[in-house]
Amino acid sequence: MGKIVISSNVSLDGVVQDPDGKEGFGRGGWFGRSGGKDFDEFAKISCAEALSSAALLLGRRTDEWFGARWPSRTGEWADRLNDMPKYVVSSTLQDPAWTNVTVLKGDVVEEVTRLKQDVDGDIVVYGSYQLGRTLLEHDLVDELRLFVFPVVVGAGERLFGETGVEKPFRHAGSRTVGDGLVYVTYEIVSGDA
């Protein structure tokens, strides 16, 4: 059975919007400005995560973003991301931007529940904060892996919005990455625990 893992870069105040500054958000680009020399260590952890994951689960815009950047890249991390199975949630997508994509067009909750049953291993959600919110709201998220960047952006879309009920998580690990990033992992606390 698969495990849904939201893996995201966030600012100290939880902003996930436009980290590379190419989406036109006035406060975008915080990823590059605040990551500094920590990117080598960040890349090692991100590559290891990709190598150990079974699939990616993305929203349409995130598929477009990755599909425009990763196919031309080389190396172990790029090869894994380009080759691994990808599932894109979209009711309108006709021509996926990335490779090895299956479009999930039905009810998100039903499709992802089925995906968790069909895929063995980690199903990682990159970007796709709207999708992540839906998955969290419907108790489909098993784990959070967050790279916290040392910056307060002050405005923008945050990783989580309002939810219908409280969602408890348990701290599963954390470590400093380079000189300024923190990598933190949380596991969902199920109703049975």
Side-chain angles (χ1 to χ4, degrees), residues 50 56 66 70 77-84 86 98 126:
L56 293 179
F66 276 97
W70 283 91
W77 185 15
D79 291 346
R80 178 61 184 146
L81 288 180
N82 288 321
D83 291 342
M84 74 190 312
K86 296 162 202 74
W98 216 357
Y126 289 149

Side-chain angles (χ1 to χ4, degrees), residues 57-180:
L57 176 60
L58 310 167
R60 179 190 50 81
R61 288 184 296 188
T62 303
D63 169 65
E64 291 171 354
W65 191 91
F66 276 97
R69 288 161 177 79
W70 283 91
S72 62
R73 296 181 184 181
T74 59
E76 185 177 42
W77 185 15
D79 291 346
R80 178 61 184 146
L81 288 180
N82 288 321
D83 291 342
M84 74 190 312
K86 296 162 202 74
Y87 299 88
V88 177
V89 175
S90 175
S91 61
T92 61
L93 183 62
Q94 298 298 318
D95 188 23
W98 216 357
T99 56
N100 299 329
V101 171
T102 299
V103 179
L104 305 178
K105 291 187 181 249
D107 177 83
V108 173
V109 174
E110 290 176 14
E111 294 282 348
V112 174
T113 298
R114 187 176 309 112
L115 183 65
K116 284 182 74 167
Q117 294 168 353
D118 293 346
V119 173
D120 188 26
D122 290 353
I123 304 165
V124 179
V125 180
Y126 289 149
S128 309
Y129 53 84
Q130 291 174 336
L131 173 61
R133 290 173 183 168
T134 299
L135 299 176
L136 182 67
E137 184 69 24
H138 290 91
D139 298 321
L140 291 169
V141 176
D142 299 291
E143 187 174 306
L144 301 175
R145 296 178 190 156
L146 307 175
F147 273 105
V148 182
F149 282 69
V151 61
V152 172
V153 178
E157 288 289 336
R158 296 206 165 38
L159 181 59
F160 300 113
E162 293 185 21
T163 62
V165 296
E166 184 177 296
K167 302 291 180 181
F169 281 81
R170 167 182 31 256
H171 178 255
S174 57
R175 63 180 169 168
T176 303
V177 176
D179 292 329

